[in-house]
């Protein structure tokens, strides 16, 4: 009986070790990816994807320079959200990083759940919320 228990324990250990190594390899590949793609994104900014919205989920736009979001037809990206101001926020690039700036909106702009009052540098995976609309930096 103890020999069977030890053999099962060895198999469980090996399975856990393989799962761990597989996760490490996936994380490294996701981080490194294609070298040309990584260099292109560093030089030119990032993409913003709407991950939660009543009508615009899946919308993707590039931040190359400055992009103004709001309910107005004159905004670069029109938001279909009743809680968004006409010109709500601006995404821009500064020193190779994406920066978000609230443009004095009534209901505010939130980065990772915190309301912002000054420009904030964003990283990949950060969430930006305007009303019910949630966007993610990719």
């Amino acid at each position: 009986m103890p020999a069977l228990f030890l053999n099962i324990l060895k198999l469980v250990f090996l399975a856990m070790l393989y799962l761990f190594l597989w996760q490490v390899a996936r994380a490294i590949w996701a981080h490194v990816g294609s070298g040309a793609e990584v260099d292109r994104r560093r030089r030119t900014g990032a993409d913003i994807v709407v991950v939660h919205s009543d009508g615009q989920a899946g919308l993707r736009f590039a931040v190359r320079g400055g992009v103004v979001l709001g309910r107005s037809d004159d905004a670069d990206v029109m938001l279909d959200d009743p809680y968004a101001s006409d010109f709500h926020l601006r995404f821009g690039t500064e020193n190779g990083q994406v920066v978000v700036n609230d443009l004095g909106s009534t209901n505010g702009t939130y980065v990772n759940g915190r309301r912002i009052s000054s420009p904030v540098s964003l990283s990949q995976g950060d969430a930006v919320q305007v009303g019910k609309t949630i966007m993610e930096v990719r």
Side-chain angles (χ1 to χ4, degrees):
M1 184 70 167
L4 178 63
F5 179 72
L6 288 176
N7 283 333
I8 291 173
L9 202 58
K10 286 179 191 177
L11 289 174
V12 169
F13 174 74
L14 285 175
M16 298 293 280
L17 181 64
Y18 282 120
L19 285 173
F20 172 74
L21 292 174
W22 179 64
Q23 289 292 339
V24 168
R26 279 187 51 205
I28 290 171
W29 181 255
H31 181 71
V32 173
S34 152
E37 178 68 14
V38 171
D39 288 343
R40 181 186 67 80
R41 286 185 181 266
R42 281 188 187 142
R43 282 195 312 265
T44 58
D47 291 339
I48 306 294
V49 178
V50 177
V51 293
H52 179 75
S53 171
D54 289 340
Q56 293 180 299
L59 174 69
R60 177 184 286 260
F61 57 92
V63 177
R64 313 286 187 257
V67 180
V68 175
L69 282 72
R71 273 194 344 233
S72 172
D73 292 335
D74 294 328
D76 297 325
V77 176
M78 189 175 153
L79 293 176
D80 185 21
D81 190 317
Y83 298 102
S85 297
D86 286 341
F87 298 100
H88 196 99
L89 63 93
R90 179 183 184 277
F91 285 108
T93 56
E94 212 173 271
N95 300 326
Q97 281 195 307
V98 177
V99 177
V100 64
N101 188 14
D102 185 84
L103 299 176
S105 64
T106 304
N107 294 317
T109 301
Y110 296 81
V111 174
N112 297 327
R114 293 188 174 189
R115 188 170 182 158
I116 63 169
S117 57
S118 60
V120 173
S121 295
L122 301 173
S123 300
Q124 185 175 0
D126 282 344
V128 178
Q129 183 172 356
V130 173
K132 294 181 179 179
T133 304
I134 301 173
M135 298 162 273
E136 185 176 298
V137 180
R138 300 265 169 104

